Structures are given as structure tokens and as C-alpha cells.
Amino acid sequence: MSRYASLIVVAVLALGLAPGAHAVTEVQWWYSNTGALGKELNKIATDFNARQSDYKIVPVFKGGYADSMAAAIAAFRAGKAPAILQVFEVGTATMMAAKGAIVPVYKVMKEGGEKFDPNAYIPAIRTYFSDSHGRMLSLPFNISTPVFYYNKDAFAKAGLDTAKPPATWPEFAKDAEKLKAAGVSCPFTTAWLSWIQLENFSAWHNLPFASNHNGFGGLNTRLRFNGPLQVRHITNLAKWHSEGLFVYGGRHSGPEAMMISGKCAMLTSSSGAYGKIVSRAKFKFGVAPLPYYPDVKGAPQNTIIGGATLWVMAGQPKDVYKGVAKFFAYLSTPAVQAEWAEKTGYLPVTKAAFDLLKKQGKLDQLPSVDVGIRELNNKAPTANSKGLRLGNFLQIRSVIDDQLEAVWSGKKTAKQGLDEAVSRGDTWLAKFAAANK
């Protein structure tokens, strides 16, 4: 071989183009989880990459959910979108309305040649992210639902049965009064007020939160969470607030710290908060289903989800979509889902993963998962309880929070606050509909 020919061979080898070599297809995944959750998310990608050599999942942290979604849409317009985007559940309608920006997951899986059975997913999770034909649009990932946490030590101090948390709101009120009488300064607080005390409250009692099947039927949707039972519940919360039985701790996850510190004895929050509570609380605590009003026929119904799913962005090469399909198939396996639930407190999204956790005897150590799945599966989802599909949902939640804070401060009655929230929220729905005709 001549010296010239030898140099060509060396150059080819250096470029990785020698016979038998092949390029690895990179698949960018923009995500928003931080801390321990982000660490576990990255571990999933690392484990998948180690199992095969054709594709490399590249997780990229892009800030909070709203920021990452805005960045992805801007990147799509510039032809630089990621292949996978983690989007919180309130962004579902926005992603669906982003014409040409996404590829439905059912299509990605079919064209990628990967087995994909929507019925393998827990019904209340599957229906939230499916179209009117039952086809899944995005892949459920970090999924949660609201649960009821209670401090067993505080219950014992108040003479309450630590094995019997309140199942109904009337029982809750009696327990809260006993806790206060026992010296507990904060008998109850709640995180995520709109999500838990109105959105899930409505589903739990099989009431519409909005018209048009909670927005699943189209853009001509209007809010309906100012009905008699919702007004009654917010009136009760306002009364309990004035009596010191309910202490308001902020709009988002802040109230969780009030329970972790031992100040508050009862908390409604995400099932995904379990890991944080169990690692920091210095007391025994229990997890139970959300309370309900026993005089409401058919209650409790089922809760709805929170958290996020994975959307596939349009404009990617075919080999990238094949990598996405293969990764999604891996992500949905029982072993991966069970480990994700065990490490994070989020719910397994498939029936097989839940059954695996049960078979492994791990549900006793994961009561939030056990309770959360039982709530979601309590009854088959109805038009009122399969989820919400509302445009400008972040803005609507902000309106709700504004009005509820006015109720807690005594500036408005529950009826006035909810009526105003519905009126202002409807304006945001109309703006979304006009922008997406």
C-alpha cells in the first residue's frame, strides 16, 4: 500500500467512517425536573443509552415547564426544536393547538415499529392525553394525583385514631377541631389550591369543571366550577380559615413545608410530594384518599392527574423518530416504571408496573402510590372526571388563586369569588379559541 493510500485509511478511521462503523443518532430531550427528580430522569437516559448503541438520549434542562414549552415552540419555528419535550398537564391544549409542531405518540410508535397498546396504561391517565378517537397524543411520564397526608403523632396527641383519617369533609371538620383543641396551631393546609380544591374536587364528586366535557369537545368551552357544591366547599374552607382550622400557606407547593416542619397536622397535596415528606419529616404520618361529601350521590368518583408527559416535536429526521419510539418503549416497561415510582414517588403509568410493585411487596413503602392509583381507578372516568383540556390554563389558575385569596381574606364571599373567577377565566378561554380557529 502506498504512503498516500495509508494516509487515506487513517483519515477514514479517524472520522469513524471505516467499514462496520456507524454514527449514533442523538435524540434531544428537554426537561424541567430539578434536584433528585432530575437526577433520576438523567439516570433513565443513561441506562437506555448503555443498553444499545444506535441512539443516544441527550437530556437538556430548560427551566420551568412554562419556560421550556415557550422555548421549544420558539425553537420549532427556528427549525431547532428538540425531539422530546416534557410538558406539564395544563399545557396539553396548547400543545394540541400548536398546528404542525407535534407528532402524536401513537403515530411515532407505529411508524417506529414498536409495540404500543394504549390499554396498557391506567385509564384515568390514558384518557387525559388521548384524542376523541382514543389515540394517545403524548406519553405519560411523571404523573401524580392529590392525596391526603396526616400527622399520626398529632392525631394521637389529640386522641384521634391514627388508623382512621377523615374519609369525609364533615369528619375532617370534627378532627380539625380536636387537633386545634389539643394545641395544634395549624390543623390543616393545602397545596395547589385550584388543582386540588376545585379541579380534583369537581372530578371526585363527578361535577363539571367546564362545559363541553371539560374542554375535550372543542374550543367553545366555558367554565362551570361555580356550581352549588363548589360554592359550598369553598364557603366551608373560608369558615374553617376564619376559625383557625385551615391555614393558607400559598398557591403552589409551599404548604408542604408547613406539614414537614410539624406545624400543620393535615395536608392535601400531590402524591409526588411523598418522597420529600418521608425524607424530611420527623414524625410518623399516613396517606389517605381525599375527603368527600357523603350526601353527594355517587361520590367519590375518581381523581384526575397532574404532572407531565412527553411530547414529540415535528421536523425531525426519520432515524430520530425511530430512536424516540425505541426509547418510549423502554420507558414504558414495567421495570423502568416501577423503579421511577419507587425513587420519585410519582405514579406508575401502566397497570403492569403497578402490579409489579405490588408483587415486589413495595406498596407498603409507597403508600402515596397505592392511594393515588386507587383514587384514579376508583371508578371508570366520566366526562366530568377524565381530565381537563383548557387553553390558557396557567392564566385561568392564576385568576382562581387571586379570587380564592380574596375569599380567605374576607373581601369576597365564596359565591362572589367563584363567579368572578369563572367570568375572568372565560375571557382567557375566548382569547385562546380566537387565536386557534
Side-chain angles (χ1 to χ4, degrees):
M1 182 183 291
S2 69
R3 181 173 179 274
Y4 179 72
S6 298
L7 289 174
I8 292 177
V9 171
V10 170
V12 170
L13 288 171
L15 290 171
L17 301 176
H22 67 277
V24 176
T25 300
E26 289 197 354
V27 179
Q28 280 215 353
W29 176 12
W30 286 9
Y31 72 94
S32 298
N33 291 143
T34 58
L37 296 177
K39 182 179 178 181
E40 289 301 322
L41 181 150
N42 275 270
K43 181 180 180 299
I44 289 175
T46 299
D47 290 347
F48 172 77
N49 293 339
R51 291 171 63 91
Q52 45 76 51
S53 58
D54 294 325
Y55 307 101
K56 182 181 180 181
I57 303 298
V58 183
V60 180
F61 177 72
K62 296 297 287 188
Y65 286 123
D67 293 335
S68 65
M69 188 164 71
I73 292 174
F76 170 76
R77 290 169 180 161
K80 299 179 180 179
I84 304 171
L85 176 66
Q86 183 186 26
V87 179
F88 53 176
E89 89 282 5
V90 298
T92 301
T94 300
M95 293 302 292
M96 288 181 62
K99 296 179 176 62
I102 63 103
V103 182
V105 69
Y106 74 86
K107 185 176 181 180
V108 172
M109 300 302 280
K110 181 179 180 180
E111 295 182 356
E114 297 292 335
K115 183 179 179 181
F116 184 65
D117 180 11
N119 292 321
Y121 295 82
I122 291 167
I125 295 175
R126 179 185 71 241
T127 56
Y128 199 111
F129 302 105
S130 297
D131 64 15
S132 58
H133 300 290
R135 301 175 299 190
M136 287 178 67
L137 304 174
S138 60
L139 188 80
F141 179 54
N142 51 311
I143 298 299
S144 60
T145 201
V147 295
F148 184 87
Y149 297 96
Y150 65 103
N151 184 327
K152 289 187 174 183
D153 293 351
F155 265 49
K157 181 181 177 182
L160 296 170
D161 189 339
T162 59
K164 290 185 178 181
T168 68
W169 284 109
E171 291 174 3
F172 159 87
K174 293 178 181 178
D175 287 353
E177 289 171 354
K178 291 181 180 179
L179 286 162
K180 183 181 180 184
V184 176
S185 62
C186 170
F188 170 70
T189 191
T190 181
W192 309 108
L193 266 161
S194 175
W195 181 51
I196 299 176
Q197 302 301 339
L198 280 175
E199 297 163 36
N200 267 279
F201 176 85
S202 298
W204 200 223
H205 293 83
N206 197 21
L207 298 171
F209 184 83
S211 68
N212 220 4
H213 294 179
N214 280 344
F216 276 72
L219 296 176
N220 58 330
T221 299
R222 293 296 178 264
L223 299 171
R224 295 287 184 270
F225 56 77
N226 58 340
L229 186 65
Q230 289 101 327
V231 170
R232 171 183 163 191
H233 182 55
I234 298 303
T235 298
N236 283 339
L237 283 173
K239 175 177 178 290
W240 295 330
H241 184 269
S242 68
E243 296 170 347
L245 303 180
F246 158 48
V247 177
Y248 178 58
R251 299 184 172 192
H252 305 305
S253 63
E256 293 167 5
M258 296 166 66
M259 182 180 188
I260 292 170
S261 68
K263 178 182 179 181
C264 295
M266 297 183 289
L267 165 76
T268 49
S269 191
S270 167
S271 57
Y274 178 79
K276 186 191 305 184
I277 297 173
V278 76
S279 65
R280 301 179 189 176
K282 305 300 182 184
F283 50 83
K284 294 179 181 179
F285 70 94
V287 184
L290 297 178
Y292 64 95
Y293 286 96
D295 59 328
V296 176
K297 185 178 179 180
Q301 170 60 38
N302 66 276
T303 56
I304 57 177
I305 65 169
T309 58
L310 304 182
W311 289 79
V312 183
M313 303 296 290
Q316 306 293 322
K318 286 185 178 180
D319 57 343
V320 169
Y321 287 128
K322 285 186 178 180
V324 171
K326 191 167 289 292
F327 176 58
F328 279 6
Y330 170 76
L331 195 56
S332 299
T333 58
V336 173
Q337 277 294 310
E339 182 177 5
W340 172 251
E342 185 179 358
K343 295 291 181 64
T344 66
Y346 280 111
L347 306 177
V349 299
T350 64
K351 302 170 188 174
F354 179 75
D355 290 342
L356 178 59
L357 285 169
K358 188 174 182 179
K359 182 179 179 181
Q360 293 173 337
K362 293 180 178 178
L363 290 182
D364 288 341
Q365 289 77 47
L366 295 169
S368 63
V369 171
D370 185 25
V371 171
I373 293 295
R374 284 195 283 114
E375 286 181 325
L376 289 173
N377 284 334
N378 190 56
K379 290 177 182 174
T382 69
N384 296 328
S385 68
K386 67 179 180 178
L388 304 167
R389 190 160 293 166
L390 306 175
N392 288 329
F393 207 168
L394 269 182
Q395 293 88 338
I396 292 170
R397 278 186 173 176
S398 180
V399 166
I400 290 172
D401 286 332
D402 286 343
Q403 295 305 309
L404 289 180
E405 286 174 349
V407 173
W408 311 147
S409 65
K411 295 178 181 178
K412 291 184 177 181
T413 65
K415 183 73 165 59
Q416 290 170 337
L418 292 182
D419 285 349
E420 182 70 14
V422 164
S423 176
R424 293 188 182 183
D426 280 346
T427 300
W428 282 109
L429 286 176
K431 287 181 179 179
F432 185 81
N436 292 281
K437 285 183 178 178

